[in-house]
Amino acid sequence: MAGAWDELRAADGTLRPVWRRFFARAELGGGTPGDVAQRLRSAIAQQVRADGITHNVAEPSEGRRDHLASARPWSLEALPHLIEPADWARIETGAIQRARLLGRMLADVYGPQRLLHDAMLPPTLVFRHRGYLRPLHDVEPVGGLHLHIVALDMARGPDGQWWVVSQRTQSPSGLGYVLQNRIIVSRLFPEPFRELRVQHIANAYRRLLTTVTQQAAAVSARLGDGHAPRVALLTPGPYNETYFEHAYLARHLGLPLVEGADLTVRNARLFLRTVEGLQPVHGLLRRLDDDYCDPLELRPDSALGVAGLVQVLRAGNVAMANALGSGFLESSAIQGFLPAIARRLLGEDLLLPSLPTWWCGEAAAWAAVRESLVGRVLRPAFAGGGEGARLIDAEGLGALVARIDDDPDAFTVQGRLALSRAALLYGSGRLVPRPAMLRVYAIASASDQWHVLPGGLTRVATRAPLSVSMAQGGTSLDTWVLTEGTLDGLAVQPQRLSVDDLAARRPAVASRSAENLFWLGRYTERAEQSVRLAQASLALFDGDEDLPDALLSRLSDLVALYGLVPAGTPAADRSIAVFARSLLAKLRERDQGVGFNLAAMARTASALRDRLAPEQFGLLRRIGDDFHAHFNTEARPPSVPGNAQALPALQGLAQQLAAVTGAQTDRMTRDHGWRLLSVGRLLERLGGMGAALAALVPAIGSRDASSVATELLLELFDSEITFRARYQHHEDLLALADLLVFDDTNPRAFAGTLRRLRTELGKLPEPAGLREMLPAEGAGLPLEALRDADANALRALLAHTAASLQSAASALSDVIGQRYFAHADGGDAMQRV
């Protein structure tokens, strides 16, 4: 584009030298340019999908978490953004200066306020902005450090000069995506990455963690509570648009990922609610906007914060990155006052210029720009106005001027910068220039001491807006900072561990995470049972045996209990065809029956991203889509699937659920969270098996239904192979009772389930009274009680045992919730059924 800097090509159209070096080393493989582009895009998409990298496209409504944002795959392009050493030197020194300046401005505004008294900064821009938090005035943050991370959105102008477009100081996003972009793109081009001497970025994350941990350690030492310093990452939760990176950063930094409901304040101290009780928190890496952090003193409608958190900050009992109250610095209107403030506070001129800025609340500035608005950009001076930036044109100019005249303080006018163009590799193999903006991150190691992450998040617009946003359909590039000197090594080394450190470093399990794991176990088991029941029922209905009405009636009740048919569906003993058709139609539904359980698994997994491996999380998220893809049809309304379509879909789903169960069993650490997941599975299994046995055992031993009922019951208990190998042609009740009730080596038998359940309950914190709610041994039915029982008495004993174990499982679930989850003040907003 004429008038914009081209990052790829020089003015004469030839590749810039650094890009010639890149392509000389890049191993692109054979084929046409289109083939190369498709291979690269496919490799990126595959890795994004495998790692579960998402960017949500919606935010919760005001102060709440009312709905799950729609997650879309993270958008990443193949070619990196190359920044040469001379350019980076200017960016780095300018970013450090900006970060120092912003830190000193905060210290002044929340302290002596000399900038306000000396008219260096208009009071309106501070006190009218909701980002200025009056309750934080005169509150000194731990270590005197107001800002730990400062993000600067920068762009290169037509002359190659770098400009600061905006700044982010509350809880700058993107660090997790920066790291993921680097991992993916550096693997695509390993030779250019090495030969171009690209600076490493991992050290910046270590510096950030070290700084916060050191401040948390100072808090812990001052309090003298004997606890090792605990730092947590505070997130708004899975409904936030960048929740992926919150979970990813928590895993990468080794921090517990917590929501506001996981924390509580006691005696001006912050605690984490865990299954072992309250445990102190000494530091927070915050990804929640300032005013949402404390509903008691800041924003009363917030359901995301911690009541009393400001009180903890006043007492100096928690280190927070970043400190609350910096939101007003993000106003575009501030940019126009920074040059003079830099000279006052730093004795220096700004090294990186801001865009020309006129705050309309300053009469002279408004008068100077009023007659030349067309072609400039209008921005709100204060957050929360519901309006973004807009390019001013001649149409409606009079009405716009009248609006500004009515409330000039609310508006800022800025010059328009023609953003530089970065190259996107399109599917055809063409290199297409698109507007690009770079976000760089300055990270503090102490007050007034800063380092800049050597890279950043480059965002590219697919069209030509005033700014670049991922939420508006933008895409991203990995940012390669080249060096002619020494690569940034592992200069920040952790202190050597001692024996005493080992126990202290075993992470606690937050009550909310434990609750979600418990229900993930329950939903997984429930999904397996419902799939097995649907398979068995459809196969039975499609068979050529005459089915007695009594068995069909009982089976219909069981199917309805699992929600596999709509309420009010006539039972199968009245019409097998109608009942089977209703069951098949229900399989298409996403919010009921099998679909409900799959959706519940996905929702619960979304709140556990920091605890689940990417493969496990990805499987849980897509399992419902994979299943329902079998029923996609162009017919309107959609046709009811037949057995030939439904049974393979159910079989594929059963295999995926087996993979989920395997991951839960063999790929998760055996901490209290895993134990609660296992307890949830076992309780659900106990209740489901009890329901199946109670429903079908009356038909066992009857002349006309025994064989069919036996086969059905064995299939629901997943015990056909063992039964045939052990009992061969026996199908009497005593044989079934032995395998399905008394055999503690059978994981699907009552005794086997109860043995495992008692074991896991005994390993939970303060398990007193839990195991006592279950039979002390076996299934609670002495084998000797069956010795002289006839068929009717045996059926009654088995039915009674099944019903009593169902009741015990339900009661035990309630007690576990009250003991380990109930103190989470509502915790997760999802309904549990």
Side-chain angles (χ1 to χ4, degrees):
M1 174 182 175
W5 182 272
D6 193 322
E7 301 286 349
L8 180 70
R9 301 183 185 278
D12 61 2
T14 60
L15 289 176
R16 296 188 184 276
V18 68
W19 278 105
R20 288 201 297 270
R21 292 169 57 199
F22 175 90
F23 286 116
R25 294 291 183 178
E27 297 179 1
L28 300 178
T32 66
D35 295 335
V36 172
Q38 290 295 345
R39 280 199 301 270
L40 292 172
R41 295 172 75 88
S42 177
I44 291 173
Q46 182 178 2
Q47 195 60 53
V48 167
R49 187 165 52 250
D51 291 345
I53 312 172
T54 57
H55 183 262
N56 298 342
V57 296
E59 291 185 338
S61 58
E62 290 292 299
R64 299 193 57 80
R65 303 180 300 179
D66 292 329
H67 63 283
L68 182 64
S70 175
R72 69 179 184 189
W74 177 248
S75 182
L76 172 64
E77 300 298 320
L79 297 182
H81 182 194
L82 305 183
I83 301 181
E84 299 190 62
D87 284 321
W88 183 251
R90 290 191 290 271
I91 292 172
E92 184 177 36
T93 55
I96 289 174
Q97 182 195 52
R98 284 279 179 136
R100 290 172 54 222
L101 175 62
L102 296 173
R104 292 194 184 186
M105 288 177 66
L106 278 178
D108 177 78
V109 168
Y110 284 99
Q113 297 187 338
R114 295 189 183 92
L115 292 175
L116 301 177
H117 293 307
D118 295 346
M120 302 293 295
L121 184 62
T124 300
L125 288 183
V126 176
F127 298 132
R128 183 173 169 180
H129 199 291
R130 75 178 189 187
Y132 174 75
L133 306 180
R134 288 169 176 79
L136 273 299
H137 187 70
D138 280 336
V139 175
E140 179 78 5
V142 173
L145 189 59
H146 287 268
L147 296 175
H148 296 71
I149 311 169
V150 171
L152 300 176
D153 288 327
M154 306 176 62
R156 198 200 295 260
D159 59 354
Q161 168 72 48
W162 286 94
W163 297 75
V164 175
V165 177
S166 62
Q167 52 209 23
R168 296 288 178 263
T169 54
Q170 289 193 75
S171 52
S173 64
L175 281 171
Y177 294 115
V178 169
L179 193 55
Q180 274 285 3
N181 285 359
R182 172 57 51 87
I183 291 170
I184 294 173
V185 175
S186 63
R187 290 173 181 170
L188 289 178
F189 304 110
E191 284 298 319
F193 187 81
R194 284 193 294 270
E195 292 298 322
L196 293 178
R197 299 183 58 77
V198 180
Q199 284 282 18
H200 301 154
I201 61 176
N203 215 24
Y205 297 85
R206 296 187 183 92
R207 285 193 178 100
L208 173 62
L209 180 60
T210 297
T211 301
V212 181
T213 302
Q214 287 174 345
Q215 292 182 337
V219 171
S220 178
R222 183 176 57 78
L223 293 172
D225 56 13
H227 289 274
R230 176 179 284 114
V231 179
L233 194 152
L234 177 60
T235 173
Y239 306 99
N240 185 265
E241 61 180 3
T242 57
Y243 181 70
F244 161 79
E245 76 156 342
H246 304 174
Y248 183 77
L249 280 176
R251 282 201 306 267
H252 181 74
L253 299 175
L255 302 178
L257 184 67
V258 302
E259 298 180 30
D262 296 324
L263 303 171
T264 187
V265 172
R266 300 284 191 276
N267 298 321
R269 293 190 57 189
L270 189 63
F271 292 90
L272 176 65
R273 296 179 169 104
T274 77
V275 296
E276 296 179 275
L278 299 181
Q279 298 197 12
V281 174
H282 308 97
L284 285 177
L285 184 58
R286 177 175 59 84
R287 293 306 311 274
L288 179 61
D289 284 351
D290 294 6
D291 55 343
Y292 282 87
C293 283
D294 186 348
L296 188 63
E297 296 200 51
L298 300 179
R299 182 170 179 150
D301 66 336
S302 172
L304 307 177
V306 187
L309 184 57
V310 170
Q311 181 187 13
V312 180
L313 293 170
R314 286 197 194 97
N317 290 341
V318 68
M320 181 178 285
N322 286 338
L324 299 181
S326 66
F328 71 93
L329 290 176
E330 298 181 355
S331 170
S332 57
I334 295 286
Q335 300 286 344
F337 299 92
L338 290 182
I341 293 175
R343 288 188 288 270
R344 167 65 67 88
L345 295 183
L346 303 179
E348 302 168 359
D349 289 325
L350 284 180
L351 299 175
L352 290 175
S354 300
L355 295 179
T357 302
W358 296 267
W359 177 50
C360 299
E362 190 177 32
W366 175 222
V369 77
R370 181 188 182 105
E371 303 303 323
S372 56
L373 291 173
V374 175
R376 303 188 191 275
V377 178
L378 184 71
R379 300 183 186 274
F382 308 110
E387 282 191 64
R390 56 167 289 189
L391 181 66
I392 304 173
D393 55 29
E395 184 178 353
L397 183 61
L400 177 63
V401 170
R403 281 184 60 204
I404 298 175
D405 283 336
D406 188 55
D407 186 10
D409 293 350
F411 297 95
T412 302
V413 176
Q414 286 189 320
R416 186 185 183 190
L417 180 69
L419 304 180
S420 68
R421 264 46 179 174
L424 301 188
L425 181 60
Y426 274 33
S428 62
R430 291 185 303 124
L431 294 174
V432 180
R434 287 291 181 262
M437 187 177 293
L438 170 65
R439 174 170 290 187
V440 299
Y441 300 87
I443 297 173
S445 55
S447 182
D448 240 22
Q449 297 180 23
W450 294 83
H451 303 269
V452 180
L453 183 147
L457 182 64
T458 298
R459 293 165 295 169
V460 181
T462 53
R463 48 188 184 274
L466 299 176
S467 61
V468 182
S469 170
M470 299 299 293
Q472 297 176 1
T475 188
S476 68
L477 311 179
D478 187 20
T479 305
W480 290 11
V481 172
L482 315 184
T483 181
E484 297 169 347
T486 304
L487 292 175
D488 190 14
L490 304 180
V492 179
Q493 297 292 341
Q495 292 183 348
R496 182 174 179 142
L497 286 175
S498 68
V499 172
D500 294 334
D501 287 329
L502 299 183
R505 288 177 180 265
R506 291 178 182 171
V509 179
S511 293
R512 176 188 52 84
S513 294
E515 182 180 11
N516 282 312
L517 286 165
F518 177 79
W519 279 96
L520 180 60
R522 295 199 65 167
Y523 287 133
T524 304
E525 179 66 24
R526 194 179 300 177
E528 285 190 341
Q529 292 179 11
S530 62
V531 168
R532 196 174 292 116
L533 179 58
Q535 288 176 298
S537 300
L538 290 173
L540 191 64
F541 297 149
D542 203 34
D544 55 5
E545 296 187 62
D546 291 330
L547 303 176
D549 288 346
L551 176 61
L552 289 174
S553 176
R554 290 182 172 275
L555 179 58
S556 299
D557 291 342
L558 187 61
V559 170
L561 178 66
Y562 276 84
L564 298 180
V565 292
T569 299
D573 57 310
R574 295 176 57 188
S575 172
I576 289 179
V578 171
F579 192 85
R581 182 178 176 85
S582 297
L583 196 161
L584 288 164
K586 196 77 165 179
L587 292 176
R588 295 195 316 254
E589 304 296 328
R590 288 179 176 266
D591 58 348
Q592 297 177 346
V594 173
F596 172 84
N597 294 323
L598 300 180
M601 288 167 58
R603 288 195 305 271
T604 307
S606 294
L608 292 167
R609 287 209 68 153
D610 58 316
R611 294 189 59 95
L612 301 177
E615 300 86 354
Q616 187 178 2
F617 175 79
L619 178 57
L620 287 165
R621 288 288 293 184
R622 72 172 183 269
I623 191 169
D625 291 337
D626 290 350
F627 175 65
H628 287 99
H630 289 272
F631 306 115
N632 286 344
T633 174
E634 296 181 359
R636 293 292 181 269
S639 60
V640 175
N643 275 15
Q645 185 180 13
L647 288 174
L650 288 167
Q651 182 58 35
L653 177 56
Q655 292 172 353
Q656 286 186 308
L657 288 170
V660 170
T661 303
Q664 292 174 358
T665 302
D666 199 43
R667 300 193 65 185
M668 296 180 69
T669 303
R670 263 60 170 169
D671 59 7
H672 293 318
W674 178 85
R675 290 195 179 93
L676 284 162
L677 181 148
S678 299
V679 166
R681 280 186 62 88
L682 295 169
L683 286 176
E684 191 69 36
R685 181 174 300 173
L686 199 61
M689 292 190 311
L693 189 65
L696 298 177
V697 75
I700 305 296
S702 63
R703 184 175 306 171
D704 57 350
S706 180
S707 177
V708 176
T710 298
E711 290 291 337
L712 183 58
L713 197 58
L714 287 171
E715 189 169 352
L716 296 182
F717 273 69
D718 196 19
S719 299
E720 308 101 305
I721 295 175
T722 303
F723 186 83
R724 295 302 170 204
R726 185 177 299 180
Y727 298 104
Q728 298 177 352
H729 301 295
H730 292 279
E731 293 184 352
D732 54 53
L733 272 171
L734 198 59
L736 282 173
D738 180 41
L739 181 61
L740 305 185
V741 177
F742 296 105
D743 189 353
D744 66 358
T745 67
N746 180 2
R748 295 282 171 178
F750 287 137
T753 300
L754 286 163
R755 177 177 58 81
R756 290 183 57 201
L757 188 53
R758 286 188 288 262
T759 298
E760 298 305 336
L761 288 172
K763 295 178 181 179
L764 290 174
E766 301 181 10
L770 297 180
R771 287 184 294 186
E772 286 71 19
M773 299 180 67
L774 300 172
E777 59 181 19
L781 176 63
L783 183 60
E784 192 63 26
L786 308 186
R787 181 174 299 276
D788 298 321
D790 60 17
N792 289 331
L794 183 52
R795 280 193 288 267
L797 284 170
L798 293 178
H800 175 75
T801 299
S804 64
L805 291 177
Q806 278 185 279
S807 297
S810 178
L812 183 54
S813 177
D814 291 341
V815 171
I816 287 172
Q818 292 165 5
R819 181 170 300 187
Y820 299 115
F821 315 143
H823 58 284
D825 288 355
D828 197 299
M830 292 184 290
Q831 184 180 7
R832 308 296 196 182
V833 293

